[in-house]
PDB file of all heavy atoms in Angstrom:
ATOM      1  N   ASP G  11       1.683  -7.220   9.840  1.00 96.00           N
ATOM      2  CA  ASP G  11       2.338  -7.063  11.164  1.00 96.00           C
ATOM      3  C   ASP G  11       1.951  -8.294  11.977  1.00 96.00           C
ATOM      4  O   ASP G  11       0.776  -8.527  12.241  1.00 96.00           O
ATOM      5  CB  ASP G  11       1.735  -5.750  11.804  1.00 96.00           C
ATOM      6  CG  ASP G  11       2.177  -5.570  13.217  1.00 96.00           C
ATOM      7  OD1 ASP G  11       2.906  -6.470  13.789  1.00 96.00           O
ATOM      8  OD2 ASP G  11       1.883  -4.534  13.792  1.00 96.00           O
ATOM      9  N   PRO G  12       2.979  -9.126  12.407  1.00 93.00           N
ATOM     10  CA  PRO G  12       2.658 -10.358  13.094  1.00 93.00           C
ATOM     11  C   PRO G  12       2.063 -10.189  14.500  1.00 93.00           C
ATOM     12  O   PRO G  12       1.606 -11.197  15.047  1.00 93.00           O
ATOM     13  CB  PRO G  12       3.953 -11.100  13.081  1.00 93.00           C
ATOM     14  CG  PRO G  12       5.010  -9.926  13.120  1.00 93.00           C
ATOM     15  CD  PRO G  12       4.373  -8.886  12.282  1.00 93.00           C
ATOM     16  N   VAL G  13       2.178  -8.987  15.101  1.00 92.00           N
ATOM     17  CA  VAL G  13       1.502  -8.865  16.408  1.00 92.00           C
ATOM     18  C   VAL G  13       0.158  -8.233  16.246  1.00 92.00           C
ATOM     19  O   VAL G  13      -0.557  -8.074  17.326  1.00 92.00           O
ATOM     20  CB  VAL G  13       2.432  -7.987  17.287  1.00 92.00           C
ATOM     21  CG1 VAL G  13       3.761  -8.604  17.501  1.00 92.00           C
ATOM     22  CG2 VAL G  13       2.607  -6.568  16.795  1.00 92.00           C
ATOM     23  N   ASN G  14      -0.325  -7.928  15.053  1.00 94.00           N
ATOM     24  CA  ASN G  14      -1.673  -7.530  14.829  1.00 94.00           C
ATOM     25  C   ASN G  14      -2.506  -8.809  14.563  1.00 94.00           C
ATOM     26  O   ASN G  14      -2.548  -9.271  13.415  1.00 94.00           O
ATOM     27  CB  ASN G  14      -1.713  -6.567  13.626  1.00 94.00           C
ATOM     28  CG  ASN G  14      -3.141  -6.015  13.387  1.00 94.00           C
ATOM     29  OD1 ASN G  14      -4.110  -6.681  13.685  1.00 94.00           O
ATOM     30  ND2 ASN G  14      -3.205  -4.769  12.931  1.00 94.00           N
ATOM     31  N   LEU G  15      -3.185  -9.302  15.582  1.00 91.00           N
ATOM     32  CA  LEU G  15      -3.879 -10.559  15.400  1.00 91.00           C
ATOM     33  C   LEU G  15      -5.063 -10.514  14.394  1.00 91.00           C
ATOM     34  O   LEU G  15      -5.305 -11.515  13.711  1.00 91.00           O
ATOM     35  CB  LEU G  15      -4.349 -11.047  16.736  1.00 91.00           C
ATOM     36  CG  LEU G  15      -3.211 -11.396  17.763  1.00 91.00           C
ATOM     37  CD1 LEU G  15      -3.884 -11.927  19.038  1.00 91.00           C
ATOM     38  CD2 LEU G  15      -2.270 -12.364  17.188  1.00 91.00           C
ATOM     39  N   HIS G  16      -5.682  -9.367  14.266  1.00 94.00           N
ATOM     40  CA  HIS G  16      -6.713  -9.259  13.243  1.00 94.00           C
ATOM     41  C   HIS G  16      -6.110  -9.429  11.827  1.00 94.00           C
ATOM     42  O   HIS G  16      -6.681 -10.080  10.945  1.00 94.00           O
ATOM     43  CB  HIS G  16      -7.427  -7.920  13.346  1.00 94.00           C
ATOM     44  CG  HIS G  16      -8.494  -7.692  12.305  1.00 94.00           C
ATOM     45  ND1 HIS G  16      -9.661  -8.346  12.348  1.00 94.00           N
ATOM     46  CD2 HIS G  16      -8.522  -6.853  11.299  1.00 94.00           C
ATOM     47  CE1 HIS G  16     -10.444  -7.991  11.301  1.00 94.00           C
ATOM     48  NE2 HIS G  16      -9.771  -7.063  10.613  1.00 94.00           N
ATOM     49  N   ALA G  17      -4.956  -8.808  11.617  1.00 95.00           N
ATOM     50  CA  ALA G  17      -4.249  -8.895  10.384  1.00 95.00           C
ATOM     51  C   ALA G  17      -3.800 -10.335  10.061  1.00 95.00           C
ATOM     52  O   ALA G  17      -3.956 -10.887   8.919  1.00 95.00           O
ATOM     53  CB  ALA G  17      -3.086  -7.899  10.257  1.00 95.00           C
ATOM     54  N   VAL G  18      -3.300 -11.009  11.111  1.00 92.00           N
ATOM     55  CA  VAL G  18      -2.925 -12.456  10.993  1.00 92.00           C
ATOM     56  C   VAL G  18      -4.103 -13.315  10.624  1.00 92.00           C
ATOM     57  O   VAL G  18      -4.005 -14.146   9.708  1.00 92.00           O
ATOM     58  CB  VAL G  18      -2.251 -12.900  12.284  1.00 92.00           C
ATOM     59  CG1 VAL G  18      -2.027 -14.425  12.295  1.00 92.00           C
ATOM     60  CG2 VAL G  18      -0.953 -12.161  12.545  1.00 92.00           C
ATOM     61  N   GLU G  19      -5.259 -13.040  11.252  1.00 92.00           N
ATOM     62  CA  GLU G  19      -6.407 -13.860  10.943  1.00 92.00           C
ATOM     63  C   GLU G  19      -6.879 -13.557   9.500  1.00 92.00           C
ATOM     64  O   GLU G  19      -7.285 -14.512   8.821  1.00 92.00           O
ATOM     65  CB  GLU G  19      -7.556 -13.421  11.827  1.00 92.00           C
ATOM     66  CG  GLU G  19      -7.351 -13.862  13.352  1.00 92.00           C
ATOM     67  CD  GLU G  19      -7.484 -15.376  13.473  1.00 92.00           C
ATOM     68  OE1 GLU G  19      -8.047 -16.044  12.587  1.00 92.00           O
ATOM     69  OE2 GLU G  19      -6.935 -15.906  14.474  1.00 92.00           O
ATOM     70  N   ASN G  20      -6.621 -12.372   8.967  1.00 94.00           N
ATOM     71  CA  ASN G  20      -7.023 -12.121   7.576  1.00 94.00           C
ATOM     72  C   ASN G  20      -6.240 -12.897   6.629  1.00 94.00           C
ATOM     73  O   ASN G  20      -6.775 -13.399   5.597  1.00 94.00           O
ATOM     74  CB  ASN G  20      -6.805 -10.569   7.276  1.00 94.00           C
ATOM     75  CG  ASN G  20      -7.978  -9.673   7.690  1.00 94.00           C
ATOM     76  OD1 ASN G  20      -9.021 -10.240   7.927  1.00 94.00           O
ATOM     77  ND2 ASN G  20      -7.743  -8.442   7.794  1.00 94.00           N
ATOM     78  N   ILE G  21      -4.908 -13.181   6.911  1.00 92.00           N
ATOM     79  CA  ILE G  21      -4.146 -14.016   6.060  1.00 92.00           C
ATOM     80  C   ILE G  21      -4.716 -15.409   5.919  1.00 92.00           C
ATOM     81  O   ILE G  21      -4.875 -15.963   4.820  1.00 92.00           O
ATOM     82  CB  ILE G  21      -2.653 -14.142   6.510  1.00 92.00           C
ATOM     83  CG1 ILE G  21      -1.958 -12.772   6.082  1.00 92.00           C
ATOM     84  CG2 ILE G  21      -1.946 -15.252   5.844  1.00 92.00           C
ATOM     85  CD1 ILE G  21      -0.455 -12.834   6.357  1.00 92.00           C
ATOM     86  N   TYR G  22      -5.091 -15.974   7.071  1.00 90.00           N
ATOM     87  CA  TYR G  22      -5.733 -17.333   7.053  1.00 90.00           C
ATOM     88  C   TYR G  22      -6.969 -17.336   6.207  1.00 90.00           C
ATOM     89  O   TYR G  22      -7.248 -18.311   5.515  1.00 90.00           O
ATOM     90  CB  TYR G  22      -5.924 -17.815   8.474  1.00 90.00           C
ATOM     91  CG  TYR G  22      -4.661 -18.244   9.193  1.00 90.00           C
ATOM     92  CD1 TYR G  22      -3.952 -17.357   9.981  1.00 90.00           C
ATOM     93  CD2 TYR G  22      -4.201 -19.567   9.060  1.00 90.00           C
ATOM     94  CE1 TYR G  22      -2.858 -17.785  10.608  1.00 90.00           C
ATOM     95  CE2 TYR G  22      -2.994 -19.951   9.653  1.00 90.00           C
ATOM     96  CZ  TYR G  22      -2.307 -19.094  10.454  1.00 90.00           C
ATOM     97  OH  TYR G  22      -1.212 -19.506  11.102  1.00 90.00           O
ATOM     98  N   ARG G  23      -7.748 -16.269   6.402  1.00 92.00           N
ATOM     99  CA  ARG G  23      -9.016 -16.170   5.666  1.00 92.00           C
ATOM    100  C   ARG G  23      -8.815 -16.004   4.146  1.00 92.00           C
ATOM    101  O   ARG G  23      -9.424 -16.702   3.383  1.00 92.00           O
ATOM    102  CB  ARG G  23      -9.859 -14.952   6.171  1.00 92.00           C
ATOM    103  CG  ARG G  23     -11.163 -14.710   5.464  1.00 92.00           C
ATOM    104  CD  ARG G  23     -11.887 -13.541   5.964  1.00 92.00           C
ATOM    105  NE  ARG G  23     -10.999 -12.354   5.884  1.00 92.00           N
ATOM    106  CZ  ARG G  23     -10.781 -11.601   4.798  1.00 92.00           C
ATOM    107  NH1 ARG G  23     -11.384 -11.984   3.685  1.00 92.00           N
ATOM    108  NH2 ARG G  23     -10.026 -10.539   4.820  1.00 92.00           N
ATOM    109  N   ILE G  24      -7.888 -15.137   3.774  1.00 92.00           N
ATOM    110  CA  ILE G  24      -7.576 -14.951   2.378  1.00 92.00           C
ATOM    111  C   ILE G  24      -7.104 -16.197   1.684  1.00 92.00           C
ATOM    112  O   ILE G  24      -7.531 -16.508   0.581  1.00 92.00           O
ATOM    113  CB  ILE G  24      -6.516 -13.803   2.205  1.00 92.00           C
ATOM    114  CG1 ILE G  24      -7.156 -12.422   2.595  1.00 92.00           C
ATOM    115  CG2 ILE G  24      -5.944 -13.702   0.852  1.00 92.00           C
ATOM    116  CD1 ILE G  24      -6.173 -11.366   2.860  1.00 92.00           C
ATOM    117  N   LYS G  25      -6.285 -16.912   2.335  1.00 88.00           N
ATOM    118  CA  LYS G  25      -5.662 -18.123   1.730  1.00 88.00           C
ATOM    119  C   LYS G  25      -6.512 -19.393   1.935  1.00 88.00           C
ATOM    120  O   LYS G  25      -6.188 -20.400   1.348  1.00 88.00           O
ATOM    121  CB  LYS G  25      -4.302 -18.338   2.317  1.00 88.00           C
ATOM    122  CG  LYS G  25      -3.177 -17.413   1.819  1.00 88.00           C
ATOM    123  CD  LYS G  25      -1.890 -17.656   2.505  1.00 88.00           C
ATOM    124  CE  LYS G  25      -1.337 -19.074   2.272  1.00 88.00           C
ATOM    125  NZ  LYS G  25      -0.708 -19.260   0.913  1.00 88.00           N
ATOM    126  N   SER G  26      -7.607 -19.316   2.731  1.00 83.00           N
ATOM    127  CA  SER G  26      -8.271 -20.500   3.179  1.00 83.00           C
ATOM    128  C   SER G  26      -7.337 -21.471   3.800  1.00 83.00           C
ATOM    129  O   SER G  26      -7.331 -22.672   3.567  1.00 83.00           O
ATOM    130  CB  SER G  26      -9.032 -21.111   1.985  1.00 83.00           C
ATOM    131  OG  SER G  26      -9.896 -20.194   1.411  1.00 83.00           O
ATOM    132  N   ARG G  27      -6.411 -20.931   4.569  1.00 77.00           N
ATOM    133  CA  ARG G  27      -5.285 -21.794   5.217  1.00 77.00           C
ATOM    134  C   ARG G  27      -5.739 -22.365   6.530  1.00 77.00           C
ATOM    135  O   ARG G  27      -6.469 -21.723   7.333  1.00 77.00           O
ATOM    136  CB  ARG G  27      -4.112 -20.823   5.383  1.00 77.00           C
ATOM    137  CG  ARG G  27      -2.813 -21.524   5.966  1.00 77.00           C
ATOM    138  CD  ARG G  27      -1.763 -20.475   6.138  1.00 77.00           C
ATOM    139  NE  ARG G  27      -0.524 -20.983   6.801  1.00 77.00           N
ATOM    140  CZ  ARG G  27       0.471 -21.470   6.134  1.00 77.00           C
ATOM    141  NH1 ARG G  27       0.501 -21.423   4.784  1.00 77.00           N
ATOM    142  NH2 ARG G  27       1.569 -21.921   6.724  1.00 77.00           N
ATOM    143  N   GLN G  28      -5.261 -23.556   6.763  1.00 75.00           N
ATOM    144  CA  GLN G  28      -5.566 -24.244   8.056  1.00 75.00           C
ATOM    145  C   GLN G  28      -4.922 -23.481   9.171  1.00 75.00           C
ATOM    146  O   GLN G  28      -3.782 -23.103   9.113  1.00 75.00           O
ATOM    147  CB  GLN G  28      -5.072 -25.641   8.035  1.00 75.00           C
ATOM    148  CG  GLN G  28      -5.730 -26.571   7.026  1.00 75.00           C
ATOM    149  CD  GLN G  28      -5.104 -27.949   6.938  1.00 75.00           C
ATOM    150  OE1 GLN G  28      -3.971 -28.061   7.328  1.00 75.00           O
ATOM    151  NE2 GLN G  28      -5.894 -28.888   6.449  1.00 75.00           N
ATOM    152  N   LYS G  29      -5.668 -23.217  10.249  1.00 75.00           N
ATOM    153  CA  LYS G  29      -5.243 -22.349  11.310  1.00 75.00           C
ATOM    154  C   LYS G  29      -4.177 -23.022  12.243  1.00 75.00           C
ATOM    155  O   LYS G  29      -3.585 -22.240  13.039  1.00 75.00           O
ATOM    156  CB  LYS G  29      -6.387 -21.840  12.094  1.00 75.00           C
ATOM    157  CG  LYS G  29      -7.345 -20.883  11.332  1.00 75.00           C
ATOM    158  CD  LYS G  29      -8.320 -20.158  12.143  1.00 75.00           C
ATOM    159  CE  LYS G  29      -9.071 -19.140  11.269  1.00 75.00           C
ATOM    160  NZ  LYS G  29     -10.000 -18.299  12.089  1.00 75.00           N
ATOM    161  N   GLN G  30      -3.928 -24.263  12.072  1.00 74.00           N
ATOM    162  CA  GLN G  30      -2.894 -24.829  12.878  1.00 74.00           C
ATOM    163  C   GLN G  30      -1.537 -24.773  12.195  1.00 74.00           C
ATOM    164  O   GLN G  30      -0.490 -25.239  12.794  1.00 74.00           O
ATOM    165  CB  GLN G  30      -3.162 -26.319  13.244  1.00 74.00           C
ATOM    166  CG  GLN G  30      -3.124 -27.263  12.017  1.00 74.00           C
ATOM    167  CD  GLN G  30      -4.551 -27.457  11.424  1.00 74.00           C
ATOM    168  OE1 GLN G  30      -5.346 -26.517  11.467  1.00 74.00           O
ATOM    169  NE2 GLN G  30      -4.814 -28.603  10.830  1.00 74.00           N
ATOM    170  N   LYS G  31      -1.497 -24.163  10.957  1.00 79.00           N
ATOM    171  CA  LYS G  31      -0.183 -24.013  10.264  1.00 79.00           C
ATOM    172  C   LYS G  31       0.362 -22.650  10.540  1.00 79.00           C
ATOM    173  O   LYS G  31      -0.211 -21.657  10.214  1.00 79.00           O
ATOM    174  CB  LYS G  31      -0.434 -24.263   8.784  1.00 79.00           C
ATOM    175  CG  LYS G  31      -0.923 -25.638   8.376  1.00 79.00           C
ATOM    176  CD  LYS G  31      -1.148 -25.794   6.890  1.00 79.00           C
ATOM    177  CE  LYS G  31       0.148 -25.700   6.094  1.00 79.00           C
ATOM    178  NZ  LYS G  31      -0.057 -25.936   4.665  1.00 79.00           N
ATOM    179  N   PRO G  32       1.529 -22.552  11.200  1.00 82.00           N
ATOM    180  CA  PRO G  32       2.078 -21.263  11.560  1.00 82.00           C
ATOM    181  C   PRO G  32       2.629 -20.535  10.276  1.00 82.00           C
ATOM    182  O   PRO G  32       2.859 -21.164   9.268  1.00 82.00           O
ATOM    183  CB  PRO G  32       3.261 -21.624  12.536  1.00 82.00           C
ATOM    184  CG  PRO G  32       3.618 -23.007  12.126  1.00 82.00           C
ATOM    185  CD  PRO G  32       2.384 -23.713  11.706  1.00 82.00           C
ATOM    186  N   LEU G  33       2.720 -19.151  10.440  1.00 85.00           N
ATOM    187  CA  LEU G  33       3.230 -18.371   9.412  1.00 85.00           C
ATOM    188  C   LEU G  33       4.681 -18.117   9.569  1.00 85.00           C
ATOM    189  O   LEU G  33       5.134 -17.857  10.668  1.00 85.00           O
ATOM    190  CB  LEU G  33       2.487 -17.047   9.330  1.00 85.00           C
ATOM    191  CG  LEU G  33       0.969 -17.124   9.229  1.00 85.00           C
ATOM    192  CD1 LEU G  33       0.341 -15.726   9.398  1.00 85.00           C
ATOM    193  CD2 LEU G  33       0.531 -17.699   7.908  1.00 85.00           C
ATOM    194  N   SER G  34       5.448 -18.143   8.484  1.00 93.00           N
ATOM    195  CA  SER G  34       6.894 -17.776   8.606  1.00 93.00           C
ATOM    196  C   SER G  34       7.032 -16.325   8.612  1.00 93.00           C
ATOM    197  O   SER G  34       6.178 -15.590   8.100  1.00 93.00           O
ATOM    198  CB  SER G  34       7.697 -18.361   7.526  1.00 93.00           C
ATOM    199  OG  SER G  34       7.239 -17.920   6.216  1.00 93.00           O
ATOM    200  N   LEU G  35       8.187 -15.780   9.144  1.00 97.00           N
ATOM    201  CA  LEU G  35       8.389 -14.376   9.216  1.00 97.00           C
ATOM    202  C   LEU G  35       9.770 -13.971   8.538  1.00 97.00           C
ATOM    203  O   LEU G  35      10.760 -14.778   8.555  1.00 97.00           O
ATOM    204  CB  LEU G  35       8.573 -13.984  10.766  1.00 97.00           C
ATOM    205  CG  LEU G  35       7.401 -14.217  11.631  1.00 97.00           C
ATOM    206  CD1 LEU G  35       7.705 -13.701  13.044  1.00 97.00           C
ATOM    207  CD2 LEU G  35       6.191 -13.540  11.138  1.00 97.00           C
ATOM    208  N   LEU G  36       9.733 -12.891   7.894  1.00 98.00           N
ATOM    209  CA  LEU G  36      10.927 -12.255   7.301  1.00 98.00           C
ATOM    210  C   LEU G  36      11.533 -11.280   8.285  1.00 98.00           C
ATOM    211  O   LEU G  36      10.797 -10.460   8.889  1.00 98.00           O
ATOM    212  CB  LEU G  36      10.622 -11.585   6.039  1.00 98.00           C
ATOM    213  CG  LEU G  36      10.007 -12.445   4.849  1.00 98.00           C
ATOM    214  CD1 LEU G  36       9.741 -11.617   3.629  1.00 98.00           C
ATOM    215  CD2 LEU G  36      10.942 -13.602   4.607  1.00 98.00           C
ATOM    216  N   ILE G  37      12.853 -11.351   8.465  1.00 97.00           N
ATOM    217  CA  ILE G  37      13.563 -10.479   9.353  1.00 97.00           C
ATOM    218  C   ILE G  37      14.747  -9.841   8.577  1.00 97.00           C
ATOM    219  O   ILE G  37      14.987 -10.201   7.401  1.00 97.00           O
ATOM    220  CB  ILE G  37      14.123 -11.229  10.571  1.00 97.00           C
ATOM    221  CG1 ILE G  37      14.959 -12.416  10.139  1.00 97.00           C
ATOM    222  CG2 ILE G  37      12.936 -11.730  11.464  1.00 97.00           C
ATOM    223  CD1 ILE G  37      15.601 -13.145  11.300  1.00 97.00           C
ATOM    224  N   ALA G  38      15.403  -8.932   9.239  1.00 95.00           N
ATOM    225  CA  ALA G  38      16.488  -8.110   8.552  1.00 95.00           C
ATOM    226  C   ALA G  38      17.843  -8.531   9.017  1.00 95.00           C
ATOM    227  O   ALA G  38      18.837  -8.154   8.415  1.00 95.00           O
ATOM    228  CB  ALA G  38      16.223  -6.662   8.643  1.00 95.00           C
ATOM    229  N   SER G  39      17.937  -9.157  10.211  1.00 95.00           N
ATOM    230  CA  SER G  39      19.258  -9.454  10.803  1.00 95.00           C
ATOM    231  C   SER G  39      19.248 -10.618  11.766  1.00 95.00           C
ATOM    232  O   SER G  39      18.114 -11.009  12.166  1.00 95.00           O
ATOM    233  CB  SER G  39      19.737  -8.212  11.580  1.00 95.00           C
ATOM    234  OG  SER G  39      18.946  -8.012  12.724  1.00 95.00           O
TER     235      SER G  39
END
């Protein structure tokens, strides 16, 4: 969920991803 900041932080932690790199979003329309 992109508005759940704790979940967003978890992605950066899991991937060891640089925090200045934004995440892309999938949408339906």
Side-chain angles (χ1 to χ4, degrees):
D11 176 353
V13 300
N14 182 329
L15 294 183
H16 179 70
V18 170
E19 291 291 339
N20 275 344
I21 283 189
Y22 285 95
R23 178 183 55 78
I24 289 164
K25 285 176 61 77
S26 302
R27 183 183 175 93
Q28 295 175 340
K29 293 194 175 182
Q30 67 269 30
K31 296 180 69 174
L33 304 174
S34 60
L35 300 181
L36 297 182
I37 56 176
S39 67

